Amino acid sequence: MSTAHILSSLPTERLPFTVRRVDTEDSLWKAIGVRHAAYARHVPEFARTLAAPEACDYEDDSIVLLAESKLDGTALGTARIQTNAYRPLHLEQSIELPDWLRDRRLAEVTRLGVSEGRIGHVVKVALMKAFFQYWQLSGTEYAIATGRAPIDRQYEQLLFSDVFGPGERIPLRHVGNIPHRVMAFEVATAEARWSEARHPLMKYVFHTNHPDIQIGELRPRHKIVPAARPNAVMERVPSFAMA
């Protein structure tokens, strides 16, 4: 049965915003504005390193997601997913993954930031659904996420499990030596595990069609070309919360 046929059989829900992958320099800078503002609220020293796109934003094994308001195009949230298709995860600059994650198709979630308030919560959930879409389409076996306290709880609630000791926090060199929990999520068993746990997002993620959440093709049609815009993150942006 085709994906289109499956989606047509599901109830459809429209959102007041879209979630798409970044495919232009302008949309990337909108994502950077969200990212910088979100991190500046919680880890201002580290946020200073996020005032411009990172090399990873342009790599073929990464995608950047952007949530934008349908009303006025305001950027509401962003996240990045990097796979190990061509190189080790950036996380592996700081730690050595255990044997059970070696030679696996991995995808790491990073740079998640959303606007504050109720709309920010809704946007975060939509971004998480986009994660699932990408993991499934890319053949990801395990999704990897790192979270400082209390951000780690959101991954725990999604049924991610600790890669190392329960609740163990490790200073990560590639994110300013801030202690993070390193957590993993087996993609193939996700729906079964969520069903067994009666997860509150089960219907939203697996049993509802959201046409406004579209990650597009796995590889970009047009490679984003870096361009210097040093004052871009100084433009007016809403208040954001890092996740």
Side-chain angles (χ1 to χ4, degrees):
M1 185 179 296
S2 69
T3 301
H5 182 77
I6 293 172
L7 290 176
S8 67
S9 67
L10 298 176
T12 296
E13 180 179 71
R14 287 289 181 175
L15 302 172
F17 55 85
T18 60
V19 176
R20 300 284 189 271
R21 68 182 302 171
V22 161
D23 59 5
T24 68
E25 185 72 13
D26 284 343
S27 59
L28 176 59
W29 276 97
K30 290 183 75 171
I32 299 308
V34 176
R35 179 189 299 173
H36 179 265
Y39 276 77
R41 288 179 54 82
H42 301 280
V43 282
E45 288 296 323
F46 181 64
R48 292 191 180 96
T49 69
L50 304 179
E54 299 173 279
C56 185
D57 294 322
Y58 297 102
E59 292 172 352
D60 288 340
D61 55 2
S62 296
I63 68 166
V64 177
L65 299 173
L66 177 65
E68 295 179 283
S69 167
K70 287 182 179 179
L71 178 64
D72 58 9
T74 300
L76 301 174
T78 185
R80 186 174 68 211
I81 306 174
Q82 183 222 350
T83 74
N84 63 347
Y86 304 111
R87 56 185 64 83
L89 299 178
H90 290 281
L91 170 68
E92 296 180 77
Q93 298 173 15
S94 300
I95 62 166
E96 183 176 342
L97 292 173
D99 290 344
W100 59 275
L101 286 175
R102 293 181 185 174
D103 300 319
R104 299 281 194 173
R105 292 186 177 184
L106 306 178
E108 182 184 2
V109 176
T110 61
R111 303 296 186 257
L112 173 60
V114 298
S115 59
E116 291 191 291
R118 179 171 175 77
I119 188 62
H121 175 72
V122 176
V123 168
K124 183 186 294 185
V125 172
L127 284 167
M128 289 177 177
K129 175 161 183 170
F131 298 163
F132 277 87
Q133 289 183 356
Y134 185 78
W135 296 337
Q136 292 174 328
L137 284 174
S138 64
T140 295
E141 294 177 86
Y142 283 90
I144 308 295
T146 62
R148 63 172 186 83
I151 303 304
D152 55 326
R153 290 295 306 278
Q154 69 185 6
Y155 295 113
E156 192 175 79
Q157 291 165 359
L158 292 175
L159 304 188
F160 277 69
S161 57
D162 287 296
V163 170
F164 301 105
E168 182 178 351
R169 304 182 193 281
I170 301 172
L172 300 180
R173 189 166 59 250
H174 70 296
V175 285
N177 287 314
I178 301 171
H180 284 63
R181 282 173 74 182
V182 181
M183 309 178 79
F185 184 92
E186 187 176 26
V187 176
T189 61
E191 188 168 358
R193 288 186 292 116
W194 275 30
S195 178
E196 183 178 359
R198 297 184 178 180
H199 198 283
L201 294 180
M202 180 76 182
K203 180 180 178 181
Y204 184 95
V205 171
F206 292 107
H207 299 149
T208 305
N209 177 27
H210 290 102
D212 298 308
I213 303 175
Q214 296 288 341
I215 62 168
E217 300 176 0
L218 293 185
R219 296 291 298 276
R221 294 179 181 175
H222 303 287
K223 188 173 179 64
I224 302 172
V225 178
R229 291 178 58 185
N231 296 320
V233 297
M234 302 304 294
E235 297 170 359
R236 181 181 295 273
V237 294
S239 182
F240 290 91
M242 187 194 77

